[in-house]
Amino acid sequence: MKAQASLKEQAATKTGADLLVEALINQGVDTLFGYPGGAVLPIYDAIYRAKGSFDHVLPRHEQGAIHAAEGYARVSGKAGVVIGTSGPGATNLVTGIADAMMDSIPIVVFTGQVAKGVIGTDAFQESDVMGITTPITKHNYQVQEIEELPRIVKEAFHIATTGRPGPVVVDIPKDISSSVYQKDIDDSFDLPGYQPTLKPNPLQIGKLHEALKEAEKPVVLAGSGVIHAGASEDLKTFVHQYKLPVTTTLLGLGAYPGDDPLSLGMAGMHGTYSANMALYECDLLINIGSRFDDRLTGNLKHFAPSAKVAHIDVDPAEIGKNVPTAIPIVSDAKAALQKLNEQNVEAGDYHEWMERLQNNKKEYPLWHEQPEKDIVPQWLMQKVYEYTKGEAIVTTDVGQHQMWAAQYYHFNRPNRWVTSGGLGTMGYGFPAAIGAQLADMNSTCVAIVGDGGFQMTLQELSVLQERRLPVKILIVNNQALGMVRQWQEKFYSERYSESIIDTQPDFVKLAESYQVPGYFIDSQETLERVLPEVLADDQPAVIDCRVLQKENVYPMIAPGKGLHEMIGVKP
């Protein structure tokens, strides 16, 4: 009898790490991105014992883990989950946490921590995770008692994925994850201080309907909040109902079909002339899910100077923060659009306004010069769009190649565009593609990266080698830090200080050392012969594509200038 009781006791005994694994299963987690180390060994032992519960992806650097989790979250719509050890493991995650915070990406990060008794003593591999991550997370926790763990995990996922999404960090001391517990634990929670407003005020919806009746030159600005809310179809209904012109932010690409006649393209520093002039000249600006960042607005004195501004945003802190707002609507974008679509008000006649905007599209399209043999990056992006039929998931680093992809690859549906917006993180594009591909194994995933950014996270080629993920890495190789070089050309009298990269690895041999096929393309003829086959293949690939070094991204709004002061609008 004693032996039987002992066996029952053993079965009921769980470590903190077991409780964590159970909590992750309860949250429906199917994919983990993580790197083991001393402080998380109990957690990895629990993961080992729970084999089959998750797909654990081992990156070759923690930064690769968190960018992969961001890509996974963007494409799947679920929270990305990351595990890192204490000290350098946690600090290597900081860039990705800050990136997710800026771009409203739902991420839950579990960091190991030294035992509670030595916190604050500069113990081996100790870092102040709470202090470091407080400014760059939606919320963070340090677990103090094993009984708290299931509730904290549940809260963390709730906070990360509701309201305005964002990263949440859970710091777990090693003695918490390794200690045992024998009772059932209640994981219910109550967060009276966190009650995001998800439904719009009907009076404010009415004011927007009235504004539509009075307006002569309205325009809709769609941000990533539309995508996070799953509101793209609702936006389309709203726009078609009133025949409204639409422009998007960089992160809002795909919220509205890029090839729709009502689409004006992307707005902002490297946006289209038609989009920027619509924002400059409009008398009603309906912002749905964009935070009016500086790369969108340019000089605020000249941003939508004659417009009545309506701003729909789930985060009340963003409304009125940068741009004075006449009609504030605190709401989830989907809920607000559904309310707007319930009533079909008789709007104004926008015929002349639409005619002017369409004329701008025809008169001032995106342009580039086309040499006979050399590859210009704009043409390269057009070819990628053509060969993938516009259906690929596209990830990028930050810089010129990012802007060319945004301009020339027309995103017609959401969750196909994965890029670093607010933080502008080099090295983001390739690991983000790994997460994006794992989230959607049936789609072609193209990581469009610069030769500079790729070298920051290229060790993740090991993941492609290990898993044979069919990610295509397209290196837009101008042997330079392209956007830095462009700014030095325009604003620093062509003093190219440390922006030209003459010495590079042989990217084809590098790829082959990881047993990934590599391709070298340096002419239009080679590109048209090789690229379609590589993109259609089901194998991973690294494509070193040499483009003209001194090609610039146009149009451009120089620092301190307004939307109407673009340069490079015409050849």
Side-chain angles (χ1 to χ4, degrees), residues 15-238:
T15 66
D18 291 323
L19 293 174
L20 172 61
V21 167
E22 274 186 15
L24 293 176
I25 292 169
N26 291 339
Q27 289 301 314
V29 173
D30 54 24
T31 306
L32 299 174
F33 301 90
Y35 206 98
V40 290
L41 285 179
I43 295 171
Y44 272 85
D45 194 50
I47 289 171
Y48 184 87
R49 295 195 304 274
K51 268 194 172 173
S53 300
F54 315 104
D55 179 14
H56 182 280
V57 182
L58 177 71
R60 284 3 184 214
H61 190 284
E62 287 89 355
Q63 186 174 350
I66 195 152
H67 292 330
E70 287 185 273
Y72 175 88
R74 280 181 185 269
V75 172
S76 71
K78 302 198 295 185
V81 183
V82 181
I83 300 175
T85 195
S86 64
T91 58
N92 281 341
L93 294 169
V94 165
T95 296
I97 294 170
D99 189 276
M101 185 66 175
M102 290 283 275
D103 289 352
S104 307
I105 306 301
I107 301 287
V108 181
V109 179
F110 297 95
T111 54
Q113 183 55 275
V114 298
K116 286 194 300 177
V118 293
I119 290 175
T121 67
D122 292 331
F124 178 66
Q125 290 195 330
E126 180 188 0
S127 61
D128 181 5
V129 171
M130 299 297 284
I132 292 168
T133 62
T134 292
I136 55 169
T137 52
K138 192 173 176 186
H139 194 59
N140 61 10
Y141 298 85
Q142 188 174 79
V143 183
Q144 297 298 318
E145 303 293 339
I146 190 171
E147 298 98 310
E148 299 176 337
L149 194 51
R151 171 186 59 79
I152 285 174
V153 173
K154 198 171 182 181
E155 281 184 12
F157 278 86
H158 175 71
I159 292 169
T161 57
T162 57
R164 179 180 179 175
V168 177
V169 168
V170 181
D171 194 40
I172 307 175
K174 189 173 182 180
D175 53 336
I176 295 289
S177 58
S178 60
S179 59
V180 296
Y181 198 76
Q182 290 182 306
K183 297 179 183 176
D184 290 332
I185 299 175
D186 181 12
D187 64 358
S188 60
F189 65 87
D190 180 29
L191 296 172
Y194 176 70
Q195 300 291 332
T197 301
L198 302 179
K199 293 184 179 177
N201 184 312
L203 292 175
Q204 298 301 92
I205 293 292
K207 285 181 184 178
L208 183 46
H209 276 142
E210 286 302 310
L212 279 167
K213 290 180 190 176
E214 296 166 5
E216 295 178 1
K217 296 185 287 185
V219 66
V220 171
L221 172 67
S224 63
V226 175
I227 296 171
H228 291 310
S232 294
E233 287 301 316
D234 304 281
L235 175 63
K236 206 186 296 183
T237 300
F238 175 64

Side-chain angles (χ1 to χ4, degrees), residues 122-379:
D122 292 331
F124 178 66
Q125 290 195 330
E126 180 188 0
S127 61
D128 181 5
V129 171
M130 299 297 284
I132 292 168
T133 62
T134 292
I136 55 169
T137 52
K138 192 173 176 186
H139 194 59
N140 61 10
Y141 298 85
Q142 188 174 79
V143 183
Q144 297 298 318
E145 303 293 339
I146 190 171
E147 298 98 310
E148 299 176 337
L149 194 51
R151 171 186 59 79
I152 285 174
V153 173
K154 198 171 182 181
E155 281 184 12
F157 278 86
H158 175 71
I159 292 169
T161 57
T162 57
R164 179 180 179 175
V168 177
V169 168
V170 181
D171 194 40
I172 307 175
K174 189 173 182 180
D175 53 336
I176 295 289
S177 58
S178 60
S179 59
V180 296
Y181 198 76
Q182 290 182 306
K183 297 179 183 176
D184 290 332
I185 299 175
D186 181 12
D187 64 358
S188 60
F189 65 87
D190 180 29
L191 296 172
Y194 176 70
Q195 300 291 332
T197 301
L198 302 179
K199 293 184 179 177
N201 184 312
L203 292 175
Q204 298 301 92
I205 293 292
K207 285 181 184 178
L208 183 46
H209 276 142
E210 286 302 310
L212 279 167
K213 290 180 190 176
E214 296 166 5
E216 295 178 1
K217 296 185 287 185
V219 66
V220 171
L221 172 67
S224 63
V226 175
I227 296 171
H228 291 310
S232 294
E233 287 301 316
D234 304 281
L235 175 63
K236 206 186 296 183
T237 300
F238 175 64
V239 165
H240 286 180
Q241 187 169 296
Y242 299 105
K243 303 294 184 289
L244 299 169
V246 185
T247 180
T248 68
T249 64
L250 173 68
L251 293 181
L253 290 170
Y256 189 81
D259 62 0
D260 188 284
L262 293 171
S263 173
L264 304 175
M266 181 180 72
M269 180 173 276
H270 295 291
T272 65
Y273 179 84
S274 55
N276 283 337
M277 290 308 293
L279 291 176
Y280 180 69
E281 296 177 347
C282 68
D283 63 4
L284 174 64
L285 170 53
I286 305 169
N287 175 358
I288 309 174
S290 158
R291 61 184 177 85
F292 282 134
D293 74 286
D294 59 302
R295 289 294 171 104
L296 168 76
T297 63
N299 188 324
L300 282 166
K301 273 198 312 185
H302 303 297
F303 181 75
S306 306
K308 175 182 279 190
V309 175
H311 189 170
I312 299 170
D313 205 297
V314 75
D315 184 356
E318 293 297 345
I319 298 178
K321 185 177 84 174
N322 295 329
V323 174
T325 301
I327 307 173
I329 302 176
V330 181
S331 173
D332 172 81
K334 189 177 185 70
L337 283 163
Q338 285 176 339
K339 280 293 177 189
L340 285 166
N341 291 337
E342 280 178 9
Q343 185 181 350
N344 188 358
V345 302
E346 191 170 331
D349 180 5
Y350 312 138
H351 178 73
E352 282 185 26
W353 171 237
M354 286 303 304
E355 205 171 74
R356 174 170 172 73
L357 297 179
Q358 293 299 329
N359 188 59
N360 281 344
K361 281 175 75 171
K362 288 174 192 167
E363 289 290 315
Y364 305 103
L366 294 170
W367 63 273
H368 63 274
E369 293 177 356
Q370 184 67 27
E372 281 187 23
K373 294 182 180 178
D374 293 326
I375 300 170
V376 289
Q378 300 93 327
W379 179 79

Side-chain angles (χ1 to χ4, degrees), residues 377-389 408-409 524 527-528 531-532 535:
Q378 300 93 327
W379 179 79
L380 169 61
M381 299 305 157
Q382 289 172 322
K383 287 296 174 183
V384 175
Y385 177 74
E386 177 187 330
Y387 297 149
T388 60
K389 299 180 174 60
Y408 288 92
Y409 198 102
Q524 294 178 28
L527 185 141
E528 292 184 308
L531 193 58
L535 290 174

